[in-house]
Amino acid sequence: MILKAAEQTRTQFRHWHRRAVIDIGSNSVRMVVYGGPDRTPVSIFNEKTLCGLGRRDPDTGALRDDAMEEALLTLARFKAVLARYGDPDLTVFATAASREASNGPDFIARIEDLGFQPEVISGEEEARFAALGVLSGDPGAVVCEPDRPHLCGDMGGGSLELTRFTDNFDEPLGERVSLPLGPLRLMAECGPKVIDAVSFTEDRLAENPWLTEVKTGDLHAVGGAWRAIAKVHMARRNYPLQVLHHYVMSKDEAVQICELLEHQSAAALENIPGVQKKRIDVLPHAAMVMKVVINMTRAQRLIVSSSGVREGVLFDKLPMDVRRRDPLIELAEEYALRYCPDPAFGETVFVMTNDLWPDESEQERRLRQAACLLSDVAALHHPDMRADQACDMALRSPFIGIDHPYRVALAMALYQRHKSKPSTPNEHVPIQLVGEELQKRATGIGLMLRFAADFSPKSAEGIEGCTLAQVDDKLVFTAPEMLAGLMGELASKRLDTLANFLGKQAVVEFV
């Protein structure tokens, strides 16, 4: 019976295009296996080992034997794991440590002996892939004021890659550079004291005047050490949503947390909430570099990206029409396909309500579409738990292309979809991140979904050809005459509730 169930699961998910990326970095060797839609890859396996390849021999600059051996053992395990996944499409690349070490070619040859075909990518290529990764997770990275372009910064163990974004999605990347400013590299070049590496860092950045000639809008932060800094900031402010992707810090907040971390000893760092022990030795230098980059580029905000070089490698392989797909909507469609009794129901409701809020912004439209697609994702749960389950799914799922306020608004809408009256989610839902107007919009979307679900329970066919619109002081629901029998007492009550919430009078027309 267990084997039969496992085979059914494999069959159900077989259409997922699995692909894998192995990243042989200066600090870690990591493999990620992805499933999910091509535009919105979802990690289904993610493992790394901190091999420390960038901690090279101080006399020769060569990779140390123990680091290489640990890396090769890790890669051998990854090869065995890949075989169990059916040997999916694989990309293997190595970065600064392998390309700069005197014995780097010998190390790459030993990796090839394991059956891999690694590519040693240049610093410029690494910068390009990191920026494409940010773009894949946040298409808004190219939406900027003409005189304040956004910047991608990827902090690795051995190098720092910086890339300017343009305001053109078709050609999104401008100037880029790879600098020897990774924490491991700085400690080797300048010694263990952070203060001794400041002028070196400033000089390397100053060699690239395009970084300082105009103010930077947003600095999109990539890389384990910089993400670790953001985690510390989240912990210190007791941030209520533990989602790192699109976590935002103002310039002042980012500089303050960097100043705290760069001056701490290893013993002191161990006592700071949110600090990962495996990052303790590199965190002060990484924080110093972040502060210098922010100050010299005059960045206004720091935005954390969970997508980076690995995701950029995958994004680079996609045709332009796939790149242009909305990653939030594509994953919502995938969830609808897997969990909703009628996957077409949500899209039909979305079409039905296109005139409900004639003033909606593009972000509000995306919120409404995602909520419609996900309206029945909790259908298989106990009725008493559906509101909380749908809400938690929106908060915790690996959605990209959405910031924290809109993620919480989506959770609020899905919670409200299962409530008959305007309701506030449980206290663990951080509605304080959402402004009053957006809260109202989310509640309205949820009440609308509640009406649609009671008029035609989990069936797209029952609402095809219907419209729901605000017309002057009325909320007008129009449906084909053949569907008149679906307007029962409960559906009528739900329509009145939505109308009252919107300050309108409900009107039903069958035509």
Side-chain angles (χ1 to χ4, degrees):
M1 181 64 70
I2 294 176
L3 291 175
K4 183 177 180 181
E7 179 57 34
Q8 288 174 341
T9 300
R10 283 193 291 270
T11 300
Q12 179 187 11
F13 288 87
R14 188 168 291 158
H15 81 274
W16 270 13
H17 172 212
R18 285 184 178 169
R19 50 272 194 217
V21 178
I22 294 178
D23 176 356
I24 305 169
S26 297
N27 200 32
S28 65
V29 176
R30 181 191 295 267
M31 182 172 77
V32 184
V33 179
Y34 299 89
D38 286 347
R39 175 63 183 85
T40 316
V42 177
S43 170
I44 58 177
F45 175 90
N46 188 334
E47 184 177 297
K48 70 178 178 183
T49 300
L50 294 174
C51 301
L53 289 169
R55 302 178 193 274
R56 292 182 282 165
D57 186 290
D59 297 321
T60 67
L63 300 173
R64 293 180 294 107
D65 289 340
D66 60 333
M68 288 190 291
E69 291 302 325
E70 186 171 13
L72 292 168
L73 285 173
T74 298
L75 291 168
R77 168 173 159 72
F78 288 168
K79 186 173 181 63
V81 171
L82 288 169
R84 272 63 185 176
Y85 275 105
D87 290 319
D89 293 342
L90 175 65
T91 300
V92 184
F93 64 86
T95 57
S98 299
R99 70 174 173 253
E100 295 173 358
S102 57
N103 57 344
D106 294 335
F107 176 55
I108 295 299
R110 295 180 66 184
I111 296 174
E112 291 173 342
D113 289 341
L114 292 174
F116 292 114
Q117 296 179 319
E119 178 183 0
V120 181
I121 61 175
S122 67
E124 183 174 318
E125 289 174 311
E126 192 173 354
R128 176 174 172 271
F129 287 136
L132 287 177
V134 168
L135 186 66
S136 74
D138 183 5
V142 298
V143 180
C144 59
E145 298 176 24
D147 59 341
R148 289 195 176 182
H150 300 323
L151 180 69
C152 170
D154 179 14
M155 170 58 74
S159 61
L160 169 70
E161 282 69 44
L162 296 167
T163 304
R164 280 281 187 218
F165 288 106
T166 71
D167 59 357
N168 183 348
F169 191 90
D170 292 330
E171 297 180 5
L173 307 185
E175 301 96 334
R176 53 187 177 268
V177 66
S178 179
L179 301 170
L181 299 178
L184 300 180
R185 181 67 171 271
L186 286 174
M187 286 187 278
E189 292 278 347
C190 305
K193 294 183 178 180
V194 173
I195 190 65
D196 295 334
V198 174
S199 60
F200 180 85
T201 301
E202 292 172 338
D203 290 345
R204 299 293 81 72
L205 289 168
E207 291 168 358
N208 299 272
W210 59 269
L211 286 169
T212 58
E213 61 189 10
V214 297
K215 289 184 177 180
T216 292
D218 295 334
L219 170 59
H220 293 263
V222 179
W226 276 9
R227 292 180 184 130
I229 294 171
K231 289 180 180 178
V232 175
H233 189 261
M234 292 176 78
R236 286 181 62 82
R237 65 182 289 200
N238 197 25
Y239 189 70
L241 180 61
Q242 295 303 302
V243 174
L244 197 57
H245 184 66
H246 217 286
Y247 180 69
V248 177
M249 287 185 275
S250 69
K251 174 183 178 179
D252 290 342
E253 288 175 327
V255 168
Q256 287 170 7
I257 195 65
C258 287
E259 289 178 342
L260 170 71
L261 295 174
E262 69 177 317
H263 296 122
Q264 300 297 316
S265 66
L269 284 172
E270 287 184 351
N271 297 319
I272 296 178
V275 172
Q276 302 167 292
K277 289 186 178 181
K278 60 190 176 184
R279 299 281 183 191
I280 283 177
D281 60 337
V282 301
L283 212 53
H285 282 81
M288 179 274 294
V289 174
M290 177 184 282
K291 186 184 75 171
V292 172
V293 170
I294 290 171
N295 286 335
M296 292 187 67
T297 64
R298 293 169 287 171
Q300 299 304 295
R301 297 192 305 173
L302 184 139
I303 301 179
V304 181
S305 175
S306 63
S307 301
V309 176
R310 293 176 294 275
E311 290 73 23
V313 166
L314 298 180
F315 190 72
D316 187 50
K317 297 179 180 181
L318 299 177
M320 185 56 70
D321 63 322
V322 178
R323 289 191 196 184
R324 286 189 166 277
R325 294 176 189 168
D326 187 323
L328 170 65
I329 301 306
E330 183 169 78
L331 192 56
E333 290 173 339
E334 185 74 16
Y335 274 46
L337 181 65
R338 300 206 173 277
Y339 303 121
C340 296
D342 183 354
F345 178 75
E347 186 63 29
T348 309
V349 175
F350 173 66
V351 173
M352 180 187 78
T353 57
N354 276 337
D355 295 323
L356 183 54
W357 285 283
D359 63 336
E360 71 181 354
S361 66
E362 175 63 18
Q363 284 293 78
E364 290 167 342
R365 183 198 64 79
R366 295 175 70 240
L367 171 65
R368 178 171 58 87
Q369 185 174 9
C372 288
L373 291 168
L374 298 169
S375 60
D376 280 325
V377 290
L380 299 181
H381 293 279
H382 189 282
D384 294 344
M385 301 300 297
R386 286 174 185 163
D388 289 332
Q389 290 290 343
C391 182
D392 284 345
M393 182 277 300
L395 289 177
R396 314 301 176 194
S397 292
F399 292 123
I400 54 177
I402 187 171
D403 64 16
H404 285 195
Y406 272 86
R407 178 184 284 269
V408 177
L410 178 59
M412 292 179 65
L414 295 180
Y415 181 88
Q416 186 65 67
R417 176 259 179 270
H418 296 282
K419 299 294 180 179
S420 57
K421 297 179 180 179
S423 305
T424 302
N426 293 334
E427 59 184 18
H428 75 277
V429 180
I431 62 174
Q432 66 268 36
L433 299 181
V434 183
E436 185 176 339
E437 287 301 313
L438 186 53
Q439 285 189 37
K440 183 177 180 181
R441 181 59 59 95
T443 302
I445 291 172
L447 291 172
M448 173 272 292
L449 293 173
R450 180 72 170 180
F451 161 69
D454 282 329
F455 180 76
S456 178
K458 300 176 179 61
S459 172
E461 187 176 347
I463 52 174
E464 286 182 354
C466 299
T467 60
L468 186 62
Q470 297 187 58
V471 182
D472 298 326
D473 62 345
K474 297 179 175 61
L475 176 64
V476 181
F477 176 64
T478 305
E481 182 66 36
M482 61 182 293
L483 299 179
L486 292 175
M487 182 57 81
E489 178 182 356
L490 191 58
S492 180
K493 185 182 297 185
R494 301 295 183 240
L495 183 63
D496 286 339
T497 300
L498 174 60
N500 290 336
F501 180 78
L502 297 174
K504 307 291 182 181
Q505 179 183 355
V507 174
V508 179
E509 298 177 352
F510 292 106
V511 296

